């Protein structure tokens, strides 16, 4: 029985290129009690692999968090299968706006301690006491009330390229830090302000809203299905769009454009730019914003140091790696891991 990937990303990429199948990219999550995550993981892998699902899925005793792609022709059988699992029956599925064949190149289903690495102690509060869920139309209405503060629950590298108008976007690298930054900003407004929070697909707000209620905030609301679902509703129901720029997503696409505005700048030359690049020096792999001109000038690298390493002959690289004094050249920058919805 095959329980793991056998194809490399390159092999998969070639197969996807040669097939003409249209693939759908989607995500869903559910907090639920899973007694045997390993067994559940293997069952999912066997079935999903058989219907050509690719993606990144986390399973824990607290639930499941999944981002994946599959051939459109298998969508119905996929949903039927989810509905046959009691806690996933009629689970809300976020379908991406645009579909790229290669949003995922492997099927990775991992058993973890938590489905979101939130840095919180589970016992500290009750996650089921969450905020009030709002759809896109309700969200638009509440964001215009004068007592409302719109809160971006994502990290800086995400909100940098796109966010809701007038949102508070904490300058943080982790979810845990964003909770502290927001609590600090709003500590004197526990009763008089509406906290209106959003994230990529809604999962971070499930925890964050419960956290803030536990901390004594009275009026806590959250965007159901996150920016992904908001963009879909805006498009399908022709609502006013209040999200400017791009939505950062956790697959090979890196982002989905929601509005034509470019709200960020190239980290190298400062020109308007909202395209992420992973530094081409594999030892660096820094995720940063780079415009087309700088892409060419720096050969997709974040710095001249990384360009030097990139163009160095392999033999020299090997010798250099041995030299302690040159270690810093091969030092990995802090890497933004493409962890699911973190
Ligand atoms: Zn540039
Ligand atoms: Zn670099």
């Amino acid at each position: 029985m095959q329980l793991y990937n056998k194809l490399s990303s390159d092999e998969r990429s070639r197969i996807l290129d040669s097939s003409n199948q249209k693939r759908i990219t989607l995500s869903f999550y559910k907090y639920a009690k899973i007694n045997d995550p390993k067994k559940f993981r293997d069952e999912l892998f066997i079935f999903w692999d058989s219907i050509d699902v690719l993606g990144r899925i986390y399973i824990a005793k607290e639930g499941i968090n999944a981002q994946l792609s599959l051939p459109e022709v298998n969508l119905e059988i996929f949903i039927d299968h989810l509905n046959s699992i009691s806690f996933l029956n009629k689970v809300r599925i976020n379908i991406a706006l645009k579909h790229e064949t290669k949003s995922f190149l492997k099927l990775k289903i991992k058993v973890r301690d938590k489905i979101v690495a939130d840095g919180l102690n589970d016992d500290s509060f009750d996650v089921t006491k969450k905020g009030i869920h709002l759809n896109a139309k309700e969200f638009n209405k509440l964001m215009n009330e004068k007592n409302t503060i719109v809160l971006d629950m994502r990290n800086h590298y995400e909100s940098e390229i796109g966010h809701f108008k007038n949102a508070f976007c904490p300058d943080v690298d982790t979810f845990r830090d964003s909770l502290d930054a927001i609590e600090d900003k709003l500590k004197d407004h526990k009763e008089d302000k509406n906290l209106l929070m959003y994230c990529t697909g809604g999962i971070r707000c499930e925890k964050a809203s419960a956290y803030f209620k536990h901390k004594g905030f009275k009026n806590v609301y959250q965007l159901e299905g996150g920016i992904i679902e908001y963009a879909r509703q805006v498009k399908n129901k022709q609502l006013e769009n209040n999200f400017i720029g791009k939505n950062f997503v956790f697959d090979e696409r890196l982002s989905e454009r929601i509005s034509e505005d470019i709200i960020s700048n190239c980290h190298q030359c400062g020109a308007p730019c909202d395209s992420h690049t992973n530094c081409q020096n594999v030892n660096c792999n820094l995720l940063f914003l780079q415009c087309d001109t700088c892409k060419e000038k720096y050969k997709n690298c974040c710095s001249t140091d990384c360009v030097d390493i990139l163009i160095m002959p392999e033999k020299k690289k090997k010798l250099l790696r041995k030299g302690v004094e040159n270690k810093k050249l091969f030092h990995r920058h802090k890497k933004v891991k493409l962890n699911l919805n973190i």
Side-chain angles (χ1 to χ4, degrees):
M1 204 180 304
Q2 190 202 327
L3 289 170
Y4 297 92
N5 284 284
K6 285 194 174 141
L7 294 176
S8 72
S9 298
D10 285 347
E11 288 165 329
R12 175 74 69 181
S13 182
R14 275 197 295 277
I15 291 171
L16 291 174
D17 278 338
S18 61
S19 88
N20 285 322
Q21 262 183 338
K22 186 184 171 200
R23 294 183 73 88
I24 303 259
T25 302
L26 60 84
S27 62
F28 69 89
Y29 63 84
K30 185 80 185 184
Y31 280 102
K33 205 168 158 31
I34 299 175
N35 289 324
D36 191 344
K38 173 76 174 67
K39 182 164 166 269
F40 182 59
R41 180 256 170 228
D42 290 348
E43 286 164 3
L44 275 190
F45 191 96
I46 291 165
F47 186 71
W48 285 2
D49 187 53
S50 77
I51 58 167
D52 206 10
V53 171
L54 299 171
R56 196 184 302 110
I57 294 96
Y58 296 134
I59 293 172
K61 287 194 164 157
E62 68 173 14
I64 177 169
N65 187 5
Q67 291 214 319
L68 51 88
S69 79
L70 77 167
E72 190 178 31
V73 291
N74 291 344
L75 185 61
E76 205 176 313
I77 185 172
F78 174 81
I79 290 174
D80 284 348
H81 175 248
L82 287 188
N83 286 341
S84 73
I85 300 165
S86 59
F87 64 89
L88 293 176
N89 186 16
K90 299 202 169 72
V91 65
R92 199 199 55 252
I93 292 174
N94 281 332
I95 294 185
L97 274 188
K98 286 205 186 100
H99 301 293
E100 270 175 44
T101 317
K102 294 197 260 186
S103 50
F104 294 98
L105 295 171
K106 289 189 175 183
L107 175 58
K108 288 186 182 170
I109 309 184
K110 294 184 173 171
V111 174
R112 288 264 175 100
D113 285 342
K114 292 185 175 192
I115 55 172
V116 172
D118 51 29
L120 288 170
N121 178 356
D122 266 355
D123 306 332
S124 65
F125 64 100
D126 183 352
V127 277
T128 64
K129 291 186 177 145
K130 54 197 176 194
I132 297 168
H133 284 206
L134 301 181
N135 63 26
K137 199 176 168 190
E138 293 162 337
F139 188 90
N140 279 348
K141 187 164 179 277
L142 193 59
M143 75 181 283
N144 287 319
E145 285 185 16
K146 69 174 194 312
N147 281 335
T148 297
I149 297 191
V150 182
L151 300 170
D152 194 315
M153 298 311 306
R154 303 168 304 155
N155 299 321
H156 173 72
Y157 64 86
E158 299 167 85
S159 57
E160 185 181 15
I161 59 166
H163 54 76
F164 277 98
K165 287 172 193 163
N166 303 321
F168 173 58
C169 303
D171 183 11
V172 295
D173 291 326
T174 68
F175 178 69
R176 186 72 194 83
D177 287 347
S178 74
L179 296 178
D180 291 341
I182 289 167
E183 193 181 351
D184 190 52
K185 181 183 165 70
L186 296 177
K187 56 182 183 296
D188 299 326
H189 299 285
K190 291 196 171 176
E191 300 195 5
D192 64 327
K193 296 278 187 202
N194 299 319
L195 276 59
L196 182 54
M197 52 183 68
Y198 68 92
C199 62
T200 314
I203 190 167
R204 279 178 277 192
C205 291
E206 296 285 301
K207 277 257 165 100
S209 64
Y211 178 83
F212 286 115
K213 284 179 79 172
H214 169 74
K215 290 281 179 175
F217 289 88
K218 295 285 179 254
N219 312 303
V220 183
Y221 300 86
Q222 62 195 92
L223 179 57
E224 185 174 19
I227 302 158
I228 298 172
E229 177 62 16
Y230 177 88
R232 210 182 60 81
Q233 289 180 17
V234 161
K235 194 177 166 200
N236 291 348
K237 299 179 181 169
Q238 298 184 341
L239 305 174
E240 182 192 355
N241 173 38
N242 287 302
F243 189 94
I244 45 173
K246 277 174 156 183
N247 181 25
F248 188 97
V249 294
F250 295 83
D251 60 52
E252 305 287 335
R253 299 169 301 156
L254 291 178
S255 61
E256 263 193 351
R257 179 162 296 291
I258 313 284
S259 86
E260 293 309 312
D261 312 83
I262 295 175
I263 64 165
S264 49
N265 301 94
C266 171
H267 289 175
Q268 286 167 318
C269 74
C273 163
D274 57 10
S275 299
H276 280 99
T277 299
N278 274 111
C279 178
Q280 200 69 16
N281 171 15
V282 292
N283 292 292
C284 171
N285 203 30
L286 180 77
L287 185 70
F288 67 108
L289 295 175
Q290 186 175 45
C291 73
D292 287 343
T293 313
C294 290
K295 238 184 209 7
E296 208 166 298
K297 185 172 164 193
Y298 293 96
K299 301 185 192 315
N300 287 16
C301 287
C302 74
S303 60
T304 46
D305 280 356
C306 283
V307 179
D308 289 345
I309 291 171
L310 188 75
I311 59 179
M312 207 176 267
E314 199 48 47
K315 235 177 163 180
K316 200 172 167 199
K317 277 189 212 176
K318 259 189 189 159
L319 278 173
L320 263 179
R321 269 191 211 112
K322 285 182 184 159
V324 180
E325 71 275 18
N326 290 309
K327 241 186 184 148
K328 76 175 193 349
L329 279 181
F330 292 95
H331 172 72
R332 266 181 187 266
H333 287 273
K334 190 171 164 205
K335 184 183 164 191
V336 175
K337 276 218 282 195
L338 291 184
N339 262 349
L340 194 58
N341 285 354
I342 304 305

